[in-house]
Amino acid sequence: MNSIAKYFSDIFKGISSLWAGMRITGKYFFSPGAIVTQQYPENRATLKMEERFKGEIVMPHDANNLHACTGCGICEMNCPNGSIEILTDRVANAEGKMERVIDKHIYHLSMCTFCGLCVKTCPSDALAFGQEFEHAVFDRSKLTKVLNQPGSKIRKEAK
Amino acid sequence: MSSNIFDFATLTGSIHTWLSGMMSSGWVIFTEMVLVGLVFLLMYALVGLFLVYLERKVCAIMQNRVGPNRVGKWGLLQTIADLIKLLMKELIPIRKSDPLLFNLAPFIVIICSFLAMAALPYAKGLQAIDFNIGVFYVMAVSSLSVVGILLAGWSSNSKYSLIGAMRSGAQIVSYELSVGLSLLAIVVFSGSMQLSTIIESQANGWWIFKGHIPAFISFIIFLVASTAEINRGPFDLAEAESELTAGFHTEYSGIKFAFFFLAEYMNMFIVAALGATVFLGGWMPFHIGNWEGFNQIMDYIPSVVWFFGKTFFLILIIMWFKWTFPRLRIDQLLTLEWKYLLPISLFNIVLIAFIVLMGWHF
Amino acid sequence: MSEEIIKDVIVGEQEDYIINMGPQHPSTHGVLRLEVCLKGETVKYLIPHVGYIHRGIEKMCEANTYQQIIHLTDRMDYLSAHMNNEAVCMVVENAMQVKVPERVKYIRTILNELNRLASHQLWWCAFGMDLGALTSFFYGLRDREMILDIFEESFGSRLLHSFNTPGGLMHDVHPNFQNRIKEFIKYFRKKLPEYDQLLTGNVIFQNRAIGIGLMSKETAIGYGVTGPSGRGSGFSCDVRKIAPYGAYDKVQFNEILATEGDVFARYKVRMAEMWESMNILEQLVDNIPEGDFTAKMKPIIKLPAGEYFQRVETARGELAVYVVSDGNKSPYRMKFRTPNFSNLFVMNEISAGCKIADLIAISGSLDLVIPDIDR
């Protein structure tokens, strides 16, 4: 007799537990609430990444096309993947002394893991993270970027 | 009673007389057959595509997602785009497979679901063939698809497919019993296997209401067992994608895969339509006993709407099952059938026979 | 693996039905290959084949400085990236005898628990999906999104946030950090009971989980199964309790233990850990002390020659880092004892005799992350 009672109580317990699950999905069926999915290509205009978002490495230039990179090579040294290459030049400055300046700051986006060590260790804060994230290109070589803009110079701090 | 329901027999009758005026009787039958075939083909494709869309949208809403929304308004054309994609995909031949059976299997599956559609009454007077064993016919034909599934699993020369097919065989063969017994309950109530008679017998109320609790129990059993029979979740062991990648149709691609896919959805439509016909009165509007006024108002809603409304209601319930429950294990699946559903439905049928014998039903 | 099993595989009995689960299979969550021998639907034995995603992280560490190693550890167990980072950081800090500011310890602990929550949420999604309840996947991901947003706001990345650095953090957390965590806890306390209603109480789920994949305490200790999987067998192995680090000695929390040792016990432990993580978060989030976000470190870190060891509790078990230094700026040898490696190899022991579907449930309940196995 006990087993028969257990048989029927099992059935009812089972059905009620199933119904509990169906209530949840049913609730969402009738009141879906906020949908977290972002409609990406449509919301491009309004899409704003977080300000700390690590999209790519950029070298901020000001209005006079000046940057802060001295070409010291610390970022190159700290990069774990060799995604930064620094090419430097020696140029005579105003006083006639030869001085090391940056020629090209080459950044291989394809190798970068966004660990952030270059940005953190840069002694002159010349590097920053950009918010751009649409990096898909058809040619791998396009992922190699020169970060200092052509004709740009190093910003001399007012002394 | 039900006098102001539009009878499609007048429409089909006038087409028949119009055709008879133009050609001999042999040609008339031939033309009508071609016409009916075309109509079914069209309906099959449309309902199938719509069901795929519906399933995606329903599960998306249940899961707090958006669902298809790219092709067409609200993604309505998404399934058509998918169909075009499937049509253009390569049919990959499988090494060491049995080519004849491998190619035959999707056709068997799709023909079985196609055949079952012929006997369903879609509206008053809109039924291709009104068998006197309609219920039996639909069940027999729809369960034939297991042959196609077994062939597909056997002939693809893949171990996953074979396991899926064997599971499917065990599953359909056992759940067939419960489906049959639960339908038999209503056959006992209405005293006929003819679908049109079963519907007519529900003119003063549907069997699920008239048949006391036993009819309700057999309705539940029918829902569960038929969900299992059409290989849908939580009973989708034959294609359990987390265990067997895709089960019996792992090796199929392109249009042959589309056949399996479409047949699965059409089988869902067929069992829902059968359930709606037998338990919920098919195209019969919602009538209560002899409340003439109320019944009159209900009659203004066309019978096609009643039929498809009930069918899609049942389809939604079946979808609700799938998107809520985890999958059963094969031994639990058989336990559910042989230890729970079958004894209950056997007891239920005895109870119903007793009720009918005593004339206690309405 | 015993001799006769190897012989079996090579010779192959006539009626052995061997299927390969993976390297591409929906339920292995990565490139793991299980060679499963079946008898009907019943599993006779299985042989895991690892190494499909071996990247040589331990060897790569020998060529990198200690700061650079951090970002490699992210890629081992990507779902507990923060705990992996912290393990390496703590090895370095202990070796250099740096005093880490209290603020750093608190933030690290908060991040640990957030990461554990995110990881357990993803496990819940994937476990439900393994068992065929597809809806659970989307509910879990929906709630995990909030944690990832917190991560993104503070560290700029959602999954692999190399936020720790030897001595402290890369930069300070975002000013919104505390508010968003409180918001999340409030939200998730309402959503977590839904998880229970949807899956835990479900009779189908319980039948699939209870009594399946029984792992005794002896087996768990013998194979070194740690984390929630080990605690489901009653093996008290929570490093947060045994050897507290970070701010774990300042918070009240329970070590979740279950004694049944089946799939359902491991499930229960993880679900309870989510509640416990929220408790820990609530205790910490308002009490973050002011201070520096990093200790003063030399730009080039050279560990004194010697051997160093540190273990932490990741979302999947005990991660141990063993460093041999010869006084240079990169380690001479670095060894990671990753939890998933041990957790995987107990599968043969506990899945013999179960059905194919149970195998999926067992591998789901062990919560394997394949890159952590292969490193």
Side-chain angles (χ1 to χ4, degrees):
Chain A
M1 207 61 213
N2 225 349
S3 62
I4 294 174
K6 191 178 173 301
Y7 179 84
F8 284 104
S9 76
D10 275 359
I11 291 177
F12 285 110
K13 262 188 225 152
I15 289 174
S16 66
S17 77
L18 295 178
W19 176 241
M22 283 173 77
R23 270 215 315 270
I24 295 289
T25 41
K27 189 186 97 189
Y28 281 109
F29 184 66
F30 289 110
S31 60
I35 290 171
V36 294
T37 318
Q38 292 186 17
Q39 297 299 307
Y40 161 55
E42 283 87 8
N43 72 353
R44 235 185 188 151
T46 55
L47 183 65
K48 181 111 173 44
M49 303 309 291
E50 307 284 353
E51 67 186 295
R52 292 182 180 179
F53 178 70
K54 295 175 184 171
E56 57 177 346
I57 310 285
V58 291
M59 187 184 284
H61 287 63
D62 61 13
N64 304 326
N65 206 11
L66 299 177
H67 58 73
C69 179
T70 58
C72 62
I74 286 182
C75 49
E76 185 181 8
M77 221 167 66
N78 270 292
C79 181
N81 320 300
S83 47
I84 294 176
E85 283 175 62
I86 309 267
L87 301 180
T88 51
D89 241 354
R90 296 191 82 81
V91 181
N93 64 2
E95 292 142 28
K97 272 193 349 208
M98 296 301 273
E99 198 177 47
R100 202 164 80 139
V101 294
I102 184 138
D103 180 25
K104 273 180 181 162
H105 189 291
I106 299 171
Y107 168 50
H108 300 279
L109 178 60
S110 50
M111 289 192 239
C112 185
T113 52
F114 304 100
C115 62
L117 282 175
C118 50
V119 177
K120 185 181 160 61
T121 53
C122 182
S124 42
D125 285 339
L127 295 177
F129 278 113
Q131 261 80 45
E132 182 65 34
F133 61 93
E134 290 160 324
H135 294 308
V137 284
F138 282 104
D139 188 354
R140 176 165 69 174
S141 63
K142 284 181 189 153
L143 290 173
T144 300
K145 298 178 178 180
V146 178
L147 292 187
N148 53 332
Q149 290 167 5
S152 63
K153 286 202 176 61
I154 181 167
R155 189 185 305 135
K156 292 273 188 281
E157 298 299 325
K159 280 174 187 161
Chain B
M1 212 160 117
S2 317
S3 53
N4 49 5
I5 303 176
F6 177 72
D7 194 346
F8 276 88
T10 52
L11 181 73
T12 48
S14 61
I15 292 175
H16 178 75
T17 30
W18 179 63
L19 282 175
S20 307
M22 293 204 304
M23 49 188 98
S24 64
S25 61
W27 280 108
V28 169
I29 290 174
F30 178 74
T31 324
E32 282 171 359
M33 277 178 160
V34 170
L35 274 178
V36 169
L38 283 177
V39 168
F40 271 130
L41 211 60
L42 196 68
M43 198 180 110
Y44 194 90
L46 282 181
V47 173
L49 289 179
F50 179 69
L51 276 177
V52 176
Y53 172 77
L54 187 77
E55 162 108 327
R56 286 188 182 176
K57 218 53 181 173
V58 164
C59 83
I61 298 170
M62 279 182 180
Q63 295 170 347
N64 233 328
R65 292 187 289 128
V66 183
N69 65 343
R70 297 280 146 167
V71 192
K73 184 93 176 150
W74 305 309
L76 270 170
L77 300 178
Q78 180 66 51
T79 45
I80 295 176
D82 285 348
L83 183 76
I84 293 169
K85 182 201 80 177
L86 282 173
L87 278 172
M88 293 196 303
K89 274 183 92 167
E90 186 190 356
L91 295 170
I92 300 165
I94 307 298
R95 199 153 52 95
K96 286 190 184 167
S97 68
D98 188 329
L100 175 69
L101 298 182
F102 186 71
N103 293 323
L104 188 65
F107 289 98
I108 292 183
V109 171
I110 206 158
I111 286 171
C112 291
S113 65
F114 204 85
L115 283 175
M117 288 185 74
L120 294 174
Y122 298 97
K124 191 174 184 183
L126 201 64
Q127 189 177 9
I129 303 174
D130 191 10
F131 286 113
N132 56 355
I133 49 162
V135 175
F136 180 71
Y137 168 79
V138 173
M139 268 191 56
V141 164
S142 62
S143 62
L144 264 182
S145 66
V146 69
V147 177
I149 291 174
L150 280 172
L151 283 186
W154 171 254
S155 62
S156 345
N157 186 29
S158 159
K159 292 176 175 177
Y160 284 120
S161 299
L162 188 59
I163 296 173
M166 289 305 150
R167 283 181 176 187
S168 179
Q171 179 179 343
I172 294 185
V173 166
S174 38
Y175 275 84
E176 194 67 11
L177 290 168
S178 284
V179 175
L181 284 173
S182 57
L183 288 176
L184 205 58
I186 302 304
V187 172
V188 171
F189 269 130
S190 59
S192 168
M193 275 197 178
Q194 196 166 3
L195 285 170
S196 59
T197 320
I198 291 177
I199 292 172
E200 286 302 334
S201 69
Q202 306 184 60
N204 58 346
W206 304 341
W207 278 121
I208 189 168
F209 301 124
K210 287 202 301 179
H212 306 291
I213 292 170
F216 187 73
I217 291 174
S218 50
F219 175 66
I220 299 284
I221 289 174
F222 175 80
L223 261 187
V224 174
S226 60
T227 313
E229 209 200 329
I230 55 177
N231 278 333
R232 273 189 65 84
F235 308 102
D236 54 347
L237 289 116
E239 50 205 87
E241 77 280 336
S242 62
E243 295 152 29
L244 305 178
T245 55
F248 64 90
H249 57 59
T250 308
E251 305 293 344
Y252 282 89
S253 65
I255 192 66
K256 282 189 269 185
F257 167 73
F259 277 179
F260 279 118
F261 196 60
L262 207 59
E264 187 194 325
Y265 281 92
M266 284 319 288
N267 282 334
M268 181 164 75
F269 176 79
I270 287 161
V271 295
L274 188 64
T277 306
V278 172
F279 292 96
L280 303 177
W283 51 260
M284 186 60 76
F286 183 64
H287 286 171
I288 299 177
N290 37 19
W291 295 11
E292 287 300 333
F294 180 78
N295 295 351
Q296 290 275 321
I297 295 166
M298 285 292 158
D299 287 351
Y300 284 115
I301 301 171
S303 53
V304 179
V305 176
W306 278 108
F307 173 77
F308 279 98
K310 289 168 190 174
T311 307
F312 277 95
F313 172 71
L314 289 188
I315 285 173
L316 275 179
I317 290 183
I318 292 176
M319 285 179 180
W320 195 5
F321 286 159
K322 164 148 187 171
W323 296 109
T324 308
F325 301 141
R327 188 180 301 118
L328 278 80
R329 206 171 57 206
I330 181 71
D331 55 329
Q332 292 165 354
L333 182 91
L334 298 179
T335 307
L336 175 69
E337 162 66 17
W338 294 101
K339 283 197 184 161
Y340 292 93
L341 295 185
L342 192 64
I344 293 173
S345 44
L346 278 173
F347 179 74
N348 204 31
I349 200 106
V350 172
L351 198 65
I352 285 171
F354 187 68
I355 288 175
V356 172
L357 206 62
M358 303 303 281
W360 284 345
H361 65 293
F362 298 109
Chain C
M1 206 175 303
S2 69
E3 282 291 314
E4 53 191 346
I5 289 180
I6 295 172
K7 211 176 88 206
D8 245 19
V9 175
I10 295 166
V11 178
E13 279 179 42
Q14 204 61 40
E15 62 265 36
D16 272 3
Y17 193 76
I18 293 175
I19 64 172
N20 275 312
M21 282 209 166
Q24 296 166 357
H25 190 274
S27 72
T28 51
H29 308 301
V31 277
L32 169 69
R33 178 173 149 223
L34 299 173
E35 195 176 315
V36 188
C37 177
L38 298 177
K39 189 159 199 173
E41 284 244 355
T42 314
V43 177
K44 271 171 87 178
Y45 60 83
L46 67 91
I47 305 170
H49 292 263
V50 298
Y52 284 88
I53 192 166
H54 177 69
R55 293 145 298 171
I57 283 182
E58 284 174 5
K59 194 73 189 164
M60 279 158 83
C61 289
E62 293 169 18
N64 279 320
T65 64
Y66 290 100
Q67 288 102 327
Q68 292 172 345
I69 287 170
I70 302 295
H71 94 289
L72 291 172
T73 58
D74 273 349
R75 273 90 184 155
M76 293 194 311
D77 181 354
Y78 48 83
L79 291 174
S80 27
H82 184 85
M83 291 90 136
N84 297 351
N85 290 349
E86 194 182 357
V88 178
C89 288
M90 276 162 55
V91 166
V92 177
E93 284 151 12
N94 292 347
M96 308 271 293
Q97 292 172 344
V98 178
K99 182 111 178 59
V100 180
E102 281 296 293
R103 182 177 175 79
V104 173
K105 284 187 177 173
Y106 270 74
I107 291 174
R108 277 182 180 173
T109 310
I110 290 176
L111 294 181
N112 268 344
E113 291 310 312
L114 274 181
N115 217 326
R116 192 184 316 279
L117 265 173
S119 169
H120 282 354
Q121 278 170 348
L122 189 71
W123 157 80
W124 185 77
C125 313
F127 189 48
M129 203 169 72
D130 283 347
L131 297 181
L134 295 146
T135 304
S136 73
F137 190 75
F138 295 95
Y139 290 173
L141 281 190
R142 176 195 64 196
D143 301 336
R144 182 166 174 264
E145 196 72 6
M146 286 192 80
I147 297 183
L148 296 189
D149 282 345
I150 298 173
F151 286 162
E152 192 183 353
E153 191 182 38
S154 272
F155 330 134
S157 45
R158 297 161 73 81
L159 194 65
L160 307 172
H161 33 75
S162 320
F163 189 56
N164 281 321
T165 186
L169 310 169
M170 291 290 263
H171 42 80
D172 213 344
V173 289
H174 198 272
N176 283 345
F177 187 62
Q178 279 150 299
N179 284 338
R180 289 189 73 155
I181 289 176
K182 279 185 249 176
E183 217 173 88
F184 165 75
I185 292 173
K186 216 175 126 200
Y187 168 84
F188 197 53
R189 275 191 188 279
K190 266 189 248 141
K191 292 291 178 191
L192 198 47
E194 273 184 14
Y195 288 20
D196 283 334
Q197 282 173 14
L198 186 66
L199 212 54
T200 316
N202 193 305
V203 65
I204 302 175
F205 173 77
Q206 291 196 346
N207 281 334
R208 287 290 303 275
I210 292 176
I212 306 300
L214 281 171
M215 172 161 55
S216 66
K217 190 175 173 181
E218 286 70 34
T219 316
I221 295 174
Y223 279 85
V225 179
T226 50
S229 314
R231 290 197 283 279
S233 303
F235 173 27
S236 164
C237 55
D238 198 333
V239 183
R240 296 175 293 173
K241 274 281 182 210
I242 301 168
Y245 57 95
Y248 283 117
D249 48 353
K250 298 186 183 64
V251 289
Q252 295 285 318
F253 70 100
N254 299 322
E255 181 180 5
I256 314 289
L257 279 178
T259 46
E260 293 91 341
D262 55 1
V263 171
F264 195 63
R266 299 194 270 278
Y267 176 90
K268 274 193 306 188
V269 168
R270 285 203 174 83
M271 292 304 269
E273 276 194 5
M274 284 204 242
W275 287 107
E276 211 55 46
S277 285
M278 283 196 286
N279 285 341
I280 297 176
L281 280 177
E282 272 181 342
Q283 290 175 45
L284 290 174
V285 72
D286 280 326
N287 303 324
I288 304 178
E290 294 297 319
D292 283 338
F293 61 84
T294 177
K296 207 118 185 82
M297 294 292 279
K298 277 181 248 152
I300 292 170
I301 297 172
K302 286 184 180 171
L303 293 201
E307 297 174 17
Y308 306 100
F309 178 80
Q310 176 66 46
R311 51 185 187 154
V312 297
E313 178 79 14
T314 73
R316 274 159 201 78
E318 182 177 324
L319 172 77
V321 183
Y322 172 67
V323 183
V324 182
S325 171
D326 54 0
N328 276 330
K329 59 179 182 177
S330 6
Y332 175 75
R333 172 80 171 94
M334 194 128 187
K335 160 82 182 145
F336 294 107
R337 185 264 179 216
T338 50
N340 284 311
F341 191 77
S342 322
N343 292 4
L344 165 70
F345 282 93
V346 80
M347 264 184 82
N348 183 29
E349 180 94 10
I350 62 177
S351 63
C354 71
K355 298 271 182 292
I356 260 195
D358 295 336
L359 186 64
I360 308 298
I362 290 169
S363 83
S365 74
L366 291 172
D367 193 12
L368 301 172
V369 166
I370 313 305
D372 195 36
I373 297 170
D374 296 342
R375 328 196 255 292

